[in-house]
Amino acid sequence: MGQLLSKAKEQLYDCKLVTGKLRAMLQSADEQVRSLKKQSMFLSQIAAKTIPNGIHCLSMRLTIDYYLLPLEKRVFPRRENLENPDLYHYALFSDNVLAASVVVNSTIKNAKEPEKHVFHLVSDKLNFGAMNMWFLLNPPGKATIHVENVDEFKWLNSSYCPVLRQLESAAMKEYYFKSDHQTTGSSNLKYRNPKYLSMLNHLRFYLPQVYPKLNKILFLDDDIVVQKDLTGLWKVDLNGKVNGAVETCGESFHRFDKYLNFSNPHIARNFDPNACGWAYGMNMFDLDVWKKKDITGIYHKWQNMNEDRVLWKLGTLPPGLMTFYGLTHPLDKSWHVLGLGYNPSIDKKDIEKAAVIHYNGNMKPWLELAMTKYRSYWVKYIKFDHPYVRGCKLGE
């Protein structure tokens, strides 16, 4: 009996030891899981910011051919339509040739009167030649198209544009690219997104300056697909507002407090934290009211106050919400369905009824990490039989 009790005591102590070891193993496993999740998110962010080889190949081939063209062959037809206020005008700012081609192609394919549609494309100097060459080789039927280089807008300089002054500053570049950012955190990688340093991303606040002769313009992001005729948007009464947009808030989601720093007195004093957010991506802008309200001046005021990023951190949506506060007319949600770049559970009926679908989020349709169930809506507007597309293996 004594021997048995002695053994039982030893076993009891062994149980405590085993329990301790198991707890240590569990804690170690939890840390490994957290680390792997961070790495996975980091890699997905990297993938989302990377230009696929096929698109890079397409851009390079088009650029070479464009600069081999004689000057007289670099001109698009129907230039007289560019300032005609009676036509339907679109603004598209992009450095992605394939994405821009889908936006234009899908809009024209679903337009009832394509000859009345005018596309104003702006790209950067790196992709300007490629963008021109693609649409010279693939003209949009009877529609009008024009491509400009943002770097040639001489009025867009750091003395006039506060965000350009900030983007050029050493402090801003250090903020986005400084070496002591942890490379494993997905949130930290947001600071390294090149789009925040691109003037193309901020050009949306200067539409009347870019298109002074136009009354209205429909702004489109390059990660959208048009599925219906959009001319009805020009008939929507904005009730004296500047911006027609689809609201994105539901219950507590996507309200102003998600985007702005309400601990700052300037924000708390001027905005309602529960005000409903809205989406960039498909926006009808009344440029006449824009000029009367001096919208660009309002934007400059807030951008100057955010020199040290105390009002908001990233992107163009927060300053957009502030600039167009009280000046945005809500559009019917069927005009613009969002989330195809991050939300796997969008109702198929909502997608098919939508005039515009938007791949906002990291899973862009031109990337390998795109959601397969949504990709077909985008792919059907790509010209896979084009020799450049085939040569760059974009169909594989």
Side-chain angles (χ1 to χ4, degrees), residues 234-283:
W234 275 263
K235 297 172 186 172
V236 173
D237 184 359
L238 298 182
N239 296 308
K241 305 294 176 66
V242 184
N243 174 27
V246 167
E247 293 182 332
T248 55
C249 59
E251 298 178 1
S252 63
F253 302 110
H254 294 271
R255 296 186 183 272
F256 270 45
D257 60 354
K258 175 179 170 61
Y259 303 101
L260 305 177
N261 176 19
F262 275 88
S263 65
N264 184 283
H266 294 294
I267 298 293
R269 190 164 52 245
N270 288 283
F271 303 99
D272 176 3
N274 293 312
C276 194
W278 45 266
Y280 268 129
M282 190 211 71
N283 305 79

Side-chain angles (χ1 to χ4, degrees), residues 6 64 207 233 266 287 297 305 342 361 372 375:
S6 178
I64 292 166
L207 288 169
L233 283 165
H266 294 294
L287 301 184
M305 290 173 66
Y342 71 89
T372 309
R375 202 163 186 268

Side-chain angles (χ1 to χ4, degrees), residues 58 62 134 137-138 383-391:
L58 178 66
L62 288 166
W134 175 265
L137 292 171
N138 304 279
K383 297 184 176 183
F384 285 111
D385 58 343
H386 193 282
Y388 283 30
V389 174
R390 285 203 313 270

Side-chain angles (χ1 to χ4, degrees), residues 29 70 136 180 225 229 236 239 256 273 295 320 325 349 356 370 390 395:
L136 287 168
D180 63 349
V225 171
D229 182 80
V236 173
N239 296 308
F256 270 45
I295 294 299
Y325 185 63
K349 291 179 182 176
V356 167
R390 285 203 313 270

